[in-house]
């Protein structure tokens, strides 16, 4: 975007608003220099000369002085009234936690905020909605990557903070730093980067912290995600420090649990602190004393403007692990109410008469270009005319989101027939025997098996399997066009093969996910057809989405082209389902209502009972255990040990400079294997490394087989509209003895680094679900549980939310893909950085395997611990999350550990 901080006098005239006293003033803002992380001096952040710019606005221009009509004694004596709702403009700085703030504000304000990215609106748009439409009561500026000194990172936020002096504003993290920077404070590197860790907070008792305890052991612990801070020494007199860390030490999540119970005695003292923590009394918000603190041990965590209703918080009140976070948002609402109710006789009415007229002509299109240094800068957006009904609008900023509407494809009326066989699975040899006997012939070509081969602790219950079958069967193969690898516009080529083997090819200008969405919306069915079925896949699309489809989910470009197709799916109209909990077997068949039912159900029943009569069971093959490491047994790595460690160090530099909180760096190992039995390889892998979200896919025309032993669910949508994500972050090898194994498990559970990794991704997934879920419904029933598998222990969390009724299954996937555990946070910036570091496309690895049922449910895994066999080569992807606490050598060893199980399965099978 062409954002300039040194503005002409004509650009800086305040709009005149009827009922508010304003002056037309000219304000010069110091120009920032180069972007953080790219400054000539390695150990310093280059900002403008603030010695001449500490006082940006003359005191007589500040409305916070509250002179003349702004304070009326009679108004101050009136009891405070509560407004029906508060309307927030939420500025998104391309962050991955913005929609956590959105969810909190939706609950606290009684109305969802309007989310606008920091380069979507021109200044004319801002003035129109704030001062002509009176559409908003306050503004919240989100966190984000980068620095407020970089115009591309901060967008219009600096000008909002400078010129919207009469509107309450709360800045979080980057928004907090922007508040300091725009008034002349310096933004510098923090004493240490802190991401996904907690600190105890001491505050000065101002209204933003009303009813919140203060100080060490008080119970006020907050989550921090930042590498930069506002330098407390450089604060101008108009900015008041209001919060700071109570010590110099950050804590892990589980460390904070040791002292998370606040005594009743302390609770009764809130607002009546001991002499050691006393602060001067604040009266009517007019006297804000400067509080001194020992900055060698403490870090500035909050500031406020002395005369404007502007506040900044360095920490993240929206994090799942922050204490009293919602109370802060409630307090900001109260600040907003008090501010406007006090000024009501002299200001425009706060609540618009008709909420449905909130927004008109909102600009939404976004143009991004890459400069020579491969850093993304934003061109000015073109204005498009959209009418938003605030009671019905989606508030969803998913790129190219396709909402429920009449599909352009022809409508298909589907009928489902099914049969159930009680307690049959073990009688016919189990899921493995059923698949091999029914679908394993002819090299198991064009078959699928979503295989819950690890069902301990009810991690998974059902397996789905099938092959080329009825009249509705087809195969979709999608490849992104070359243009879509380099630009947001591009689409790709879809090849469709029907049940008769007839192929056709079409170009999808809007991309594969748009096509899939329209297909799913075209199905009509009766719910009574599947009443009594305890699972959610009743037929539909089954296959994979490759990592490069991130360009259809908001990412600007792919640096690397995938060797394998970017998506492959079967439409499965006939399938077998095994219920591992009850040992039942189901067979299902879909057909169009206007067509005759095929005999597949009867034929499959006969085959199943013939298996029962023969009581055969395929014996598990035994192989000699592999003793060599993958790198000494024919696999070669895309990156050497030295190159991978160098990339880890680059990630740490990006994190230090505030470009990311966490970067999920990956690489791949490969081996030429020639002609093998891929199903035999998969059967061996599932035997050696069973997993709840394992999968087998064979696309014979593409010479492509996928053997996955994934332990991780990406996203699931059930028939009740509940979305669930189960990200894994934190992995350690199993021990050789029971005692050592338990030690390893505890080591993982209490690892500060792994807890930080996991917490960052939990907050990221909360954000992604928050984009498509009902306000207030996103929650975390399980945080940082340790699950044990054949070769590793992993740290797993569970996030759930209630999908909004006006959104489709594909909308939900687009909001969250790729899975945050494979990208890092903030997601968009992190993926840009990872693309610049990684030497090839991830392909199928890091994507998702699963199903989209015709009845609008889906379940997708994360493609990890997976062998992709394509055109005679086996490839295995692996990596790990790089955070500020990472050790480069340890990260390399963790990456190798994750390749061990699938690589050894290949070596043993060959």
């Amino acid at each position: 975007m062409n954002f300039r901080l040194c503005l002409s006098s004509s650009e800086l005239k305040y709009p005149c608003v009827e009922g508010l006293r304003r002056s037309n003033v000219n304000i010069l803002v110091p120009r920032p220099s180069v972007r953080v992380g790219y400054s000539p001096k390695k150990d310093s952040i280059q900002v403008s000369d603030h010695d001449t710019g500490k006082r940006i606005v003359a005191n007589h221009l500040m409305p916070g002085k509250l002179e003349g009509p702004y304070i009326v004694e009679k108004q101050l004596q009136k009891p405070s009234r509560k407004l029906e709702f508060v309307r927030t403009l939420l500025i998104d700085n391309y962050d991955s936690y913005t929609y956590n703030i959105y969810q909190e504000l939706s609950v606290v304000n009684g109305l969802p905020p309007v989310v606008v990215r920091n380069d979507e609106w021109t200044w004319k748009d801002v003035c129109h909605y704030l001062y002509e439409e009176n559409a908003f009561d306050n503004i919240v500026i989100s966190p984000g990557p980068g620095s407020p000194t970089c115009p591309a990172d901060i967008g219009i936020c600096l000008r909002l903070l400078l010129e919207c002096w009469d509107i309450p504003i709360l800045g979080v993290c980057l928004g907090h730093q922007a508040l300091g920077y725009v008034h002349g404070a310096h933004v510098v590197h923090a004493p240490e980067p802190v991401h996904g860790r907690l600190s105890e907070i001491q505050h000065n008792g101002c209204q933003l912290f009303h009813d919140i305890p203060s100080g060490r052991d008080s119970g006020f612990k907050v989550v921090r995600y930042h590498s930069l801070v506002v330098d407390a020494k450089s604060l101008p007199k108009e900015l008041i420090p209001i919060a700071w860390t109570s010590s110099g030490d950050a804590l892990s999540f589980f460390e904070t649990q040791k002292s998370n119970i606040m005594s009743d005695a302390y609770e009764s003292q809130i607002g009546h602190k001991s002499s050691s923590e006393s602060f001067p009394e604040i009266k009517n918000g007019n006297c804000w004393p400067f509080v001194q603190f020992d900055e060698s041990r403490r870090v500035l965590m909050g500031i406020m403007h002395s005369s404007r209703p502007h506040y900044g918080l360095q920490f993240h009140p929206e994090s799942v692990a922050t204490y009293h976070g919602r109370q802060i948002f409630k307090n900001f609402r109260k600040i907003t109410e008090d501010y406007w109710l006090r000024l009501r006789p002299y200001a425009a009415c706060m609540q618009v008469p008709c909420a449905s007229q909130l927004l008109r002509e909102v600009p939404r299109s976004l143009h991004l270009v890459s400069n020579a240094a491969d850093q993304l800068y934003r061109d000015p957006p073109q204005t498009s005319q959209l009418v938003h009904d605030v009671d019905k609008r989606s508030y969803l900023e998913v790129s190219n989101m396709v909402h429920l509407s009449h599909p352009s494809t022809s409508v298909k009326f589907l009928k489902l027939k099914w049969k159930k066989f009680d307690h049959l699975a073990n009688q016919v040899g189990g899921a493995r025997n059923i698949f091999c006997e029914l679908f394993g012939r002819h090299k198991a070509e064009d078959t699928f098996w979503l295989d819950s081969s690890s069902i301990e602790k009810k991690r998974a219950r059902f397996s789905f399997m099938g092959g080329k079958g009825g009249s509705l069967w087809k195969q979709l193969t999608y490849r992104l066009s070359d243009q879509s690898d380099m630009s947001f516009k591009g689409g790709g080529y879809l090849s469709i093969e029907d049940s008769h083997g007839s192929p056709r090819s079409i170009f999808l200008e809007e991309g594969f996910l748009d096509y899939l969405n329209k297909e799913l919306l075209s199905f009509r069915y009766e719910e009574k057809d599947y009443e009594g079925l305890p699972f959610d896949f009743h037929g539909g699309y089954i296959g994979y989405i490759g990592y490069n489809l991130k360009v259809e989910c908001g990412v600007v470009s792919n640096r690397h082209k995938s060797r394998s197709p970017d998506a492959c799916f079967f439409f499965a109209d006939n399938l077998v389902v095994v219920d591992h909990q009850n040992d039942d077997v189901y067979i299902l068949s879909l057909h169009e209502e206007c067509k005759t039912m095929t005999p597949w159900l009867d034929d499959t029943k006969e085959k199943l009972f013939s298996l029962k009569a023969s009581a055969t069971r395929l014996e598990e093959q035994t192989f000699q255990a592999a003793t060599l490491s993958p790198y000494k047994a024919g696999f070669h790595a895309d990156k050497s040990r030295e190159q991978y460690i160098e990339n880890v160090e680059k990630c740490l530099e990006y994190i230090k400079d505030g470009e990311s909180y966490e970067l999920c760096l990956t690489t791949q190992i490969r081996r030429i294997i020639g002609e093998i039995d891929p199903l035999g390889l998969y059967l061996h892998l599932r035997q050696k490394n069973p997993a709840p979200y394992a999968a087998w896919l064979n696309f014979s025309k593409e010479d492509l087989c996928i053997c996955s032993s994934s332990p991780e669910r990406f996203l699931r949508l059930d028939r009740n509209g509940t979305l669930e994500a189960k990200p894994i972050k934190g992995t350690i090898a199993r021990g050789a003895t029971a005692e050592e194994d338990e030690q390893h498990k505890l080591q993982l559970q209490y690892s500060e680094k792994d807890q930080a990794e996991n917490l960052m991704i939990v907050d990221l997934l909360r954000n992604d679900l928050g984009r498509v879920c009902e306000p207030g419904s996103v929650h975390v029933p399980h945080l940082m549980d340790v699950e044990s598998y054949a070769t590793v222990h992993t740290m797993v969390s569970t996030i759930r939310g209630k999908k909004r009724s006006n959104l489709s299954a594909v909308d939900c996937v687009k909001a969250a893909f790729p899975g945050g555990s494979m990208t890092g946070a903030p997601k968009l910036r992190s993926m840009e950085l990872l693309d610049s570091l990684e030497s090839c496309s991830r392909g199928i690895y890091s994507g998702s395997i699963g199903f989209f049922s015709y009845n609008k449910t889906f379940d997708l895994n994360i493609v990890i611990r997976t062998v992709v066999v394509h055109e005679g080569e086996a490839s295995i992807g692996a990596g790990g999350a790089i955070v500020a606490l990472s050790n480069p050598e340890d990260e390399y060893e963790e990456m190798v550990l994750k390749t061990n199980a699938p690589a050894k399965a290949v070596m043993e099978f060959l």
Side-chain angles (χ1 to χ4, degrees):
M1 58 177 288
N2 298 325
F3 185 87
R4 293 180 294 114
L5 287 179
C6 287
L7 304 169
S8 67
S9 59
S10 62
E11 290 176 301
L12 281 165
K13 290 183 179 181
Y14 288 117
C16 294
V17 179
E18 183 178 357
L20 289 177
R21 266 181 47 179
R22 295 181 177 269
S23 303
N24 292 333
V25 295
N26 301 331
I27 305 172
L28 280 181
V29 187
R31 176 187 291 274
S33 62
V34 296
R35 179 184 185 140
V36 175
Y38 301 95
S39 59
K41 295 183 179 180
K42 181 177 179 182
D43 297 324
S44 64
I45 300 176
Q46 301 295 310
V47 297
S48 54
D49 184 2
H50 290 284
D51 293 336
T52 60
K54 286 189 177 182
R55 298 205 182 170
I56 308 300
V57 184
N59 285 340
H60 71 277
L61 296 176
M62 293 183 180
K65 288 293 180 181
L66 301 179
E67 296 173 348
Y70 286 100
I71 290 184
V72 178
E73 190 66 29
K74 292 182 180 179
Q75 285 293 320
L76 294 176
Q77 291 174 356
K78 288 185 178 180
S80 177
R81 293 168 291 171
K82 187 170 183 178
L83 297 159
E84 182 181 353
F85 52 80
V86 171
R87 303 158 305 158
T88 296
L89 173 61
L90 176 55
I91 304 295
D92 176 21
N93 288 304
Y94 288 82
D95 195 52
S96 289
Y97 299 149
T98 300
Y99 277 85
N100 295 334
I101 297 175
Y102 167 92
Q103 287 276 325
E104 287 295 316
L105 292 174
S106 297
V107 173
V108 169
N109 287 352
L111 186 73
V114 172
V115 182
V116 176
R117 283 184 167 169
N118 65 18
D119 55 1
E120 280 190 80
W121 282 4
T122 65
W123 187 245
K124 181 180 178 181
D125 296 324
V126 170
C127 293
H128 173 74
Y129 294 118
L130 290 179
Y131 296 112
E132 295 177 26
E133 295 287 338
N134 294 308
F136 300 103
D137 307 317
N138 63 26
I139 300 170
V140 175
I141 300 176
S142 85
S147 164
T149 67
C150 177
D153 293 339
I154 200 64
I156 206 166
C157 297
L158 296 183
R159 195 165 182 184
L160 283 169
L161 288 163
L162 194 63
E163 299 200 36
C164 297
W165 45 265
D166 55 349
I167 296 177
I169 300 178
L170 173 64
V172 178
C173 199
L174 182 65
H176 156 87
Q177 295 166 12
L179 176 60
Y181 178 76
V182 81
H183 290 291
H186 295 184
V187 177
V188 299
H189 282 107
E192 65 166 336
V194 178
H195 299 104
R197 297 155 67 197
L198 289 83
S199 292
E200 295 180 305
I201 296 298
Q202 185 174 346
H203 61 75
N204 72 346
C206 69
Q207 192 174 358
L208 192 63
F209 297 111
H210 175 70
D211 255 357
I212 296 175
S214 175
R216 186 173 298 195
D217 299 325
S218 69
F220 185 25
K221 305 179 185 72
V222 303
V223 175
R224 297 164 59 188
Y225 295 113
H226 66 102
S227 302
L228 308 175
V229 294
V230 174
D231 182 7
K233 289 182 178 179
S234 69
L235 286 179
K237 71 175 186 179
E238 55 262 36
L239 293 182
I240 307 301
I242 59 174
W244 47 93
T245 58
S246 62
S247 73
D249 301 321
L251 307 170
S252 70
F253 173 75
F254 283 109
E255 281 182 296
T256 67
Q257 304 306 295
K258 299 173 184 177
S259 59
N260 65 351
I261 300 176
M262 188 170 51
S263 68
D264 293 338
Y266 188 87
E267 284 192 42
S268 65
Q269 293 178 16
I270 293 175
H272 303 85
K273 301 172 182 62
S274 63
S275 58
S276 63
E277 295 183 352
S278 61
F279 303 102
E281 184 180 3
I282 299 168
K283 298 179 180 179
N284 297 330
N286 292 324
C287 176
W288 295 102
F290 188 94
V291 183
Q292 300 289 340
F293 61 93
D294 180 7
E295 65 182 64
S296 65
R297 291 287 295 161
R298 301 176 181 178
V299 179
L300 185 64
M301 286 286 113
I303 56 177
M304 66 169 292
H305 198 280
S306 61
S307 55
R308 304 181 179 193
H310 293 182
Y311 298 80
L313 297 174
Q314 179 63 76
F315 60 86
H316 285 243
E318 80 285 355
S319 172
V320 69
T322 291
Y323 292 79
H324 305 289
R326 181 165 292 180
Q327 184 62 43
I328 289 174
F329 289 115
K330 289 180 178 178
N331 291 341
F332 185 58
R333 171 180 173 145
K334 184 65 164 56
I335 289 169
T336 301
E337 289 175 331
D338 289 350
Y339 181 83
W340 288 110
L341 290 173
R342 183 177 62 221
L343 305 182
R344 193 177 185 114
Y346 306 97
C349 180
M350 178 178 176
Q351 306 286 289
V352 292
C354 181
S356 66
Q357 301 302 314
L358 176 61
L359 293 179
R360 293 184 184 276
E361 301 176 4
V362 181
R364 289 293 173 198
S365 61
L366 176 65
H367 301 275
L368 294 164
V369 294
S370 181
N371 70 355
D374 293 314
Q375 296 301 322
L376 294 175
Y377 292 89
R378 302 171 180 92
D379 284 342
Q382 300 298 316
T383 301
S384 61
Q385 295 197 356
L386 298 174
V387 178
H388 294 256
D389 185 330
V390 79
D391 299 319
K392 298 179 181 178
R393 65 163 293 175
S394 67
Y395 299 93
L396 188 60
E397 297 303 325
V398 179
S399 176
N400 291 338
M401 184 63 64
V402 181
H403 298 291
L404 295 178
S405 61
H406 296 293
S408 60
T409 54
S410 59
V411 171
K412 299 181 183 70
F413 292 90
L414 301 182
K415 294 295 293 182
L416 176 68
K417 299 292 183 183
W418 56 275
K419 295 182 179 181
K420 175 186 177 185
F421 307 107
D422 294 333
H423 312 300
L424 180 66
N426 276 325
Q427 296 180 50
V428 297
R432 180 180 185 273
N433 205 38
I434 293 171
F435 182 84
C436 290
E437 290 296 325
L438 267 57
F439 308 108
R441 306 189 193 287
H442 307 293
K443 298 183 180 180
E445 292 182 350
D446 302 321
T447 58
F448 64 86
W449 183 6
L450 301 185
D451 177 18
S452 298
S453 56
S454 173
I455 59 174
E456 296 86 357
K457 299 183 179 179
K458 299 182 179 180
R459 290 173 187 152
R461 177 178 170 184
F462 301 101
S463 291
F464 306 92
M465 59 185 71
K468 194 169 183 177
S471 61
L472 291 174
W473 183 94
K474 60 183 172 182
Q475 179 181 327
L476 307 179
T477 305
Y478 180 72
R479 286 180 169 85
L480 288 162
S481 69
D482 293 337
Q483 290 82 7
S484 63
D485 288 335
M486 297 308 298
S487 68
F488 191 74
K489 301 175 182 177
Y493 297 91
L494 178 69
S495 173
I496 305 171
E497 179 188 345
D498 65 19
S499 59
H500 303 293
S502 301
R504 63 188 178 97
S505 183
I506 57 175
F507 183 78
L508 301 178
E509 186 174 346
E510 299 300 324
F512 178 77
L513 294 177
D514 176 79
Y515 173 87
L516 180 62
N517 190 70
K518 291 174 181 176
E519 280 284 298
L520 294 170
L521 293 177
S522 74
F523 299 137
R524 301 293 183 267
Y525 53 89
E526 294 184 87
E527 293 185 6
K528 66 179 183 181
D529 285 358
Y530 50 82
E531 286 179 359
L533 292 176
F535 44 85
D536 288 323
F537 183 46
H538 309 137
Y541 286 103
I542 194 162
Y544 74 83
I545 302 169
Y547 179 74
N548 274 10
L549 279 196
K550 66 184 188 289
V551 295
E552 297 186 12
C553 303
V555 177
V556 177
S557 65
N558 287 315
R559 181 181 291 262
H560 311 290
K561 189 171 182 63
S562 175
R563 302 178 188 178
S564 53
D566 294 293
C568 271
F569 279 84
F570 299 119
F571 187 88
D573 52 357
N574 297 327
L575 65 148
V576 177
V577 184
V578 178
D579 181 346
H580 297 284
Q581 179 176 304
N582 295 333
D583 200 36
D584 300 329
V585 177
Y586 297 80
I587 56 177
L588 297 81
S589 184
L590 265 179
H591 68 282
E592 285 194 76
E593 190 175 49
C594 59
K595 295 187 179 180
T596 306
M597 182 72 183
T598 66
W600 186 86
L601 284 176
D602 293 333
D603 292 347
T604 304
K605 175 183 177 181
E606 184 177 334
K607 290 177 182 178
L608 285 170
F609 276 85
S610 68
L611 288 177
K612 178 180 179 181
S614 62
T616 59
R617 178 184 291 269
L618 293 177
E619 295 296 325
E620 300 281 358
Q621 289 181 273
T622 57
F623 299 88
Q624 183 176 358
T627 56
L628 296 175
S629 74
Y631 302 96
K632 296 178 181 179
F635 278 94
H636 67 274
D638 288 347
K639 292 284 182 76
S640 67
R641 182 180 187 277
E642 291 73 22
Q643 289 172 323
Y644 192 84
I645 287 175
E646 182 181 348
N647 283 348
V648 173
E649 290 170 345
K650 288 180 180 177
C651 289
L652 291 173
E653 284 297 314
Y654 286 132
I655 290 168
K656 177 184 175 183
D657 290 333
E659 296 297 319
S660 178
Y661 315 139
E662 175 174 356
L663 288 161
C664 297
L665 181 68
T666 74
T667 188
Q668 302 210 22
I669 62 173
R670 307 176 191 277
R671 175 174 174 162
I672 301 299
I673 58 175
E675 289 288 332
I676 65 164
D677 172 18
L679 178 59
L681 170 61
Y682 174 67
L683 294 175
H684 179 57
L685 176 64
R686 77 184 293 272
Q687 176 188 350
K688 300 293 289 186
N689 194 46
Y693 309 108
W696 156 266
L697 293 171
N698 184 345
F699 300 97
S700 60
K701 295 286 178 63
E702 303 300 326
D703 194 9
L704 172 64
C705 293
I706 302 171
C707 308
S708 178
S709 58
S710 173
E712 183 172 0
R713 168 176 280 157
F714 163 47
L715 199 59
R716 174 193 179 193
L717 175 65
D718 67 19
R719 69 183 71 181
N720 298 316
T722 298
L723 278 167
E724 179 184 88
K726 293 192 68 174
I728 289 176
K729 267 289 159 267
T731 302
I732 195 170
R734 297 293 299 264
T737 66
E739 181 180 2
E740 184 183 58
D741 194 53
E742 185 63 24
Q743 288 176 347
H744 284 197
K745 186 175 180 180
L746 290 173
Q747 181 181 338
L748 175 63
Q749 182 77 77
Y750 291 97
S751 162
E752 184 174 20
K753 171 187 173 291
D754 291 309
Q755 290 175 52
E757 283 183 27
N758 199 281
L759 180 57
M760 278 186 266
I761 299 306
V762 167
D763 278 339
L764 169 57
L765 265 297
R766 289 174 60 237
N767 173 86
D768 290 350
L769 266 63
R771 301 171 80 181
V772 293
C773 286
E774 295 288 349
S777 70
V778 178
H779 61 289
V780 182
H782 304 286
L783 183 61
M784 302 185 197
D785 289 347
V786 173
E787 294 184 355
S788 301
Y789 294 90
T791 59
V792 295
H793 299 292
T794 62
M795 186 177 287
V796 186
S797 295
T798 304
I799 305 100
R800 294 188 186 127
K802 184 73 171 179
K803 182 186 77 71
R804 294 211 313 274
S805 60
N806 64 324
L807 299 179
S808 72
V810 174
D811 288 337
C812 298
V813 173
K814 291 180 74 171
F817 186 82
S821 61
M822 303 307 296
T823 64
K827 184 185 278 188
L828 292 179
R829 177 67 60 84
S830 295
M831 285 190 285
E832 293 170 9
L833 297 173
L834 291 167
D835 257 11
S836 71
L837 292 173
E838 296 176 359
S839 58
C840 65
S841 169
R842 297 186 185 184
I844 299 167
Y845 170 65
S846 296
S848 292
I849 296 170
F851 68 77
F852 289 89
S853 184
Y854 76 89
N855 65 321
K856 313 299 190 293
T857 64
F858 67 84
D859 199 353
L860 300 167
N861 76 2
I862 295 283
V863 181
I864 55 176
R865 321 290 197 271
T866 296
V867 183
V868 176
V869 181
H870 186 221
E871 298 178 344
E873 180 187 71
S875 62
I876 300 167
I882 313 304
V883 297
L885 296 174
S886 289
N887 175 279
E889 288 77 14
D890 291 345
E891 291 297 338
Y892 176 78
E893 295 303 324
E894 181 180 333
M895 182 273 294
V896 173
L897 169 65
K898 292 171 179 176
T899 67
N900 280 347
K904 286 182 177 180
V906 174
M907 293 185 290
E908 292 167 355
F909 184 76
L910 292 177

